[in-house]
Amino acid sequence: MNEAETSSAIVCAECGAPGSEGQASCPRCGGLFEIRHRLPEIEPAALRERFAERRTGRGPLATSGVWRYRELVAPALPREAIVTQGEGNTFLYESEALGRWAGLDGPVWLKHEGHNPTGSFKDRGMTVGVSRARELGAAAVACASTGNTSSSLASYAARADMKALVFVPAGKVSAGKLAQTIALGARVLEVEGSFDTAMRLVLAATERLPIYLLNSVNPWRIEGQKTIVFELLEQLDWQPPDAIALPAGNLGNTSAFGKALDEAVRLGLIDRLPRLLPVQAAGAAPFHRLVASDAERLEPEPRPETVATAIRIGEPRSWRKARRAVERTAGRTTAVSDEQILEAKAAIDAAGIGCEPASAASLAGVRALVRSGELAPDARVVCVLTGHLLKDPDAITRYHCGPEPGPHANPPVRLPAEPEAVAAWLAKELG
Ligand code: F0G
C-alpha cells in the first residue's frame, strides 16, 4: 500500500463504508465516495502564511492555484505524478455596477474561473484527477460531458500521454467546446440523448473496461475544485463573504464548495460559513425542486432544456452531497429562466468581464434572490463565473445579431467604405 492510500482514505460520503479506486459509487448504499484526509495540525495563521508564501515561490507546484493548497487536496500524491498547467490563480473582480444591477447596495465580487488553462473551472479538478490516474498507472481516462470537462480532460490527458475518451450529447455541446475537445486530441463519442444518457453509458463502460473515470463522481476531482473556495477566501483576506453563488448542473462543484468550507472552518482558516447559493436553469432544475420541496429523493428531469448547455442536466449525480452543503451553510437554491441568464450574461459581458451562458446563472440567481427577499441587499456576495466568454460564441451571436436580438444587443454595423459615411456614423456614436 502506498503513502497516498494510507493518509487519504476513500470513504462513502453517505454510509461511511470504505471504498476503493475504480468504484463509481458505494455498493452498499449507492452513495458517492469522498476523500478524507488527515488535516494538517497547524495554527491557522501559519497555514495562511504558508499558502501566501508559495504564491510568490518558484516552480509550478508552488504557484499553481491548486497545488499550493496541496495539504488540503492530495497531501500524499507523489510530486512526479503531478500534471499541472499552473491552473487556478484566477482573478476576483469587484464590480459596483454589477452589484447595483443585481439589486445589492454595494459591489458584487466575481471569481472568474474561465481564466483557467482550458477556459473553465474544470481544470482545478482535472489536474488532481489526471495526476491520480497517472499515479495509478492508468492508460485511458474517460468522462461524460457537456463540453468543459471534456476539454479539460483532453488537455490534461494529452499532457500525461493518456488516451482520453469522452461521451457528449450529440448536437448539444457548444461549437467552441467540441472544437477544443477534438483539437486537444480526445476521442469523442456523440451520444443520441442528453448528458444523462452519456453519463449512464460512460459509467457502464468504465465498469467493464480498464478505463479511469474522471467525472465529478470521482472524489479526487472534488478535492481540486475545493481550491476555488480556498483561493477566493484568501483573496478576501480570509474574511468570508456572506454568500457564494454558483451555477449548478451535475452538482460536483456545489459539493466541492461545501467540503472546502467545512474544512476551512475546521482548520480555523475562517470563523463562519458563507451561505451557498447554487443556481440552476429553470429547464434543468431538479435540484432546486428537491430542496424547495424538501423531498426525500431527487426526481430527475427527463427532458432538461436550457440555453446554458453546460448545465443542461436532468439527473445530477452529486445531489446528496450538494444538499448537505446547502443545508450546512443555511444556503438557498434557485432557478432562473433562459432570459434571466442571457440578461445577466449581457451585463457581465458589457462590464468588460465576459463569461459563458451557464456562468451568468450565478449573477442572475443573486438578482432573483434579492428581489424575492431571500438575500439581503447589504450582503457581501461572490459569484463564481465558471467558464470563458469564448466557450460559446453562438450564444453571443444569437443574442446580439439573431432574428430576435436581446434587449441589450450590440450588433456590428456595416457601412459603405467611404470616409463621409464613416465620419457621419462616428459623429453620431460620439454624440
Ligand atoms: N458551469 C459550467 C461552465 C460548467 O461547464 C458546468 C458543468 C457547471 C457550471 C456546473 O458544475 O456540474 O459541478 O454542478 N459542466 C460539466 C461538463 C457537466 O461536462 O463540462 P457542476
Side-chain angles (χ1 to χ4, degrees):
M1 197 182 281
N2 67 24
E3 201 192 342
E5 277 150 358
T6 54
S7 72
S8 298
I10 302 181
V11 175
C12 174
E14 305 308 318
C15 74
S20 62
E21 289 289 354
Q23 285 179 311
S25 57
C26 175
R28 205 158 85 183
C29 77
L32 295 181
F33 292 111
E34 68 177 16
I35 307 291
R36 297 225 179 119
H37 306 297
R38 208 174 312 127
L39 292 177
E41 285 171 29
I42 178 171
E43 285 299 311
L47 190 56
R48 289 190 203 114
E49 200 171 317
R50 191 187 288 176
F51 294 151
E53 271 169 14
R54 283 188 190 142
R55 203 175 27 190
T56 55
R58 279 208 208 142
L61 290 195
T63 53
S64 153
V66 171
W67 295 104
R68 64 197 172 84
Y69 303 104
R70 55 185 165 268
E71 290 84 344
L72 314 183
V73 171
L77 198 82
R79 288 181 178 223
E80 59 278 9
I82 293 177
V83 189
T84 177
Q85 305 185 50
E87 46 293 306
N89 294 314
T90 58
F91 196 70
L92 184 67
Y93 291 88
E94 179 178 345
S95 172
E96 287 283 346
L98 292 175
R100 268 198 306 280
W101 182 90
L104 295 168
D105 297 340
V108 66
W109 284 263
L110 302 123
K111 175 83 171 144
H112 208 324
E113 289 296 304
H115 295 179
N116 270 290
T118 74
S120 85
F121 73 97
K122 305 288 183 181
D123 294 337
R124 294 196 187 244
M126 210 50 84
T127 180
V128 182
V130 169
S131 298
R132 179 64 177 153
R134 177 141 96 174
E135 186 192 7
L136 294 166
V141 288
C143 69
S145 181
T146 55
N148 279 328
T149 303
S150 58
S151 301
S152 185
L153 181 77
S155 174
Y156 281 86
R159 300 296 307 142
D161 269 332
M162 286 173 197
K163 190 169 181 70
L165 303 153
V166 314
F167 295 37
V168 300
K172 293 294 183 181
V173 174
S174 78
K177 294 176 192 176
L178 189 58
Q180 190 181 16
T181 302
I182 297 167
L184 293 170
R187 292 293 292 148
V188 176
L189 178 66
E190 291 191 311
V191 173
E192 300 287 342
S194 66
F195 167 86
D196 306 294
T197 321
M199 187 74 225
R200 278 193 287 277
L201 288 174
V202 83
L203 280 168
T206 52
E207 251 171 42
R208 281 167 216 191
L209 295 163
I211 304 170
Y212 191 70
L213 179 64
L214 274 171
N215 277 100
S216 58
V217 297
N218 181 314
W220 293 104
R221 283 267 318 273
I222 302 298
E223 292 307 298
Q225 286 171 209
K226 288 187 326 194
T227 62
I228 301 170
V229 167
F230 298 144
E231 198 176 274
L232 80 83
L233 290 172
E234 191 177 24
Q235 284 167 312
L236 293 172
D237 258 338
W238 301 101
Q239 299 300 312
D242 296 314
I244 302 175
L246 75 165
N250 211 19
L251 298 169
N253 221 22
T254 304
S255 309
F257 281 29
K259 190 166 191 280
L261 289 170
D262 228 44
E263 291 173 1
V265 166
R266 269 167 43 213
L267 286 159
L269 291 170
I270 52 172
D271 56 10
R272 63 191 169 81
L273 286 168
R275 299 170 70 192
L276 276 184
L277 311 175
V279 184
Q280 295 207 288
F287 182 62
H288 171 58
R289 281 200 295 275
L290 169 82
V291 176
S293 66
D294 202 23
E296 204 169 305
R297 294 187 61 81
L298 181 120
E299 190 64 48
E301 164 59 64
R303 277 175 295 278
E305 206 46 80
T306 167
V307 67
T309 53
I311 52 173
R312 187 177 170 276
I313 294 175
E315 199 180 343
R317 295 283 157 171
S318 296
W319 64 269
R320 287 190 181 87
K321 287 181 179 178
R323 177 187 226 171
R324 241 185 338 267
V326 171
E327 283 171 0
R328 272 208 212 125
T329 63
R332 270 273 185 286
T333 60
T334 187
V336 288
S337 68
D338 281 2
E339 290 69 30
Q340 288 173 301
I341 290 174
L342 290 174
E343 277 309 289
K345 173 174 156 54
I348 294 165
D349 291 354
I353 296 169
C355 65
E356 68 161 285
S359 305
S362 57
L363 188 69
V366 169
R367 188 190 222 194
L369 289 170
V370 173
R371 283 194 175 163
S372 68
E374 291 166 276
L375 185 65
D378 64 355
R380 290 172 72 238
V381 183
V382 176
C383 288
V384 178
L385 302 180
T386 42
H388 195 276
L389 173 85
L390 289 175
K391 284 282 192 173
D392 193 351
D394 290 344
I396 302 170
T397 314
R398 271 198 308 275
Y399 182 91
H400 291 279
C401 317
E404 287 172 46
H408 297 99
N410 177 29
V413 172
R414 237 185 230 203
L415 294 172
E418 285 162 13
E420 294 72 30
V422 173
W425 177 70
L426 287 175
K428 209 170 109 212
E429 277 296 309
L430 296 172

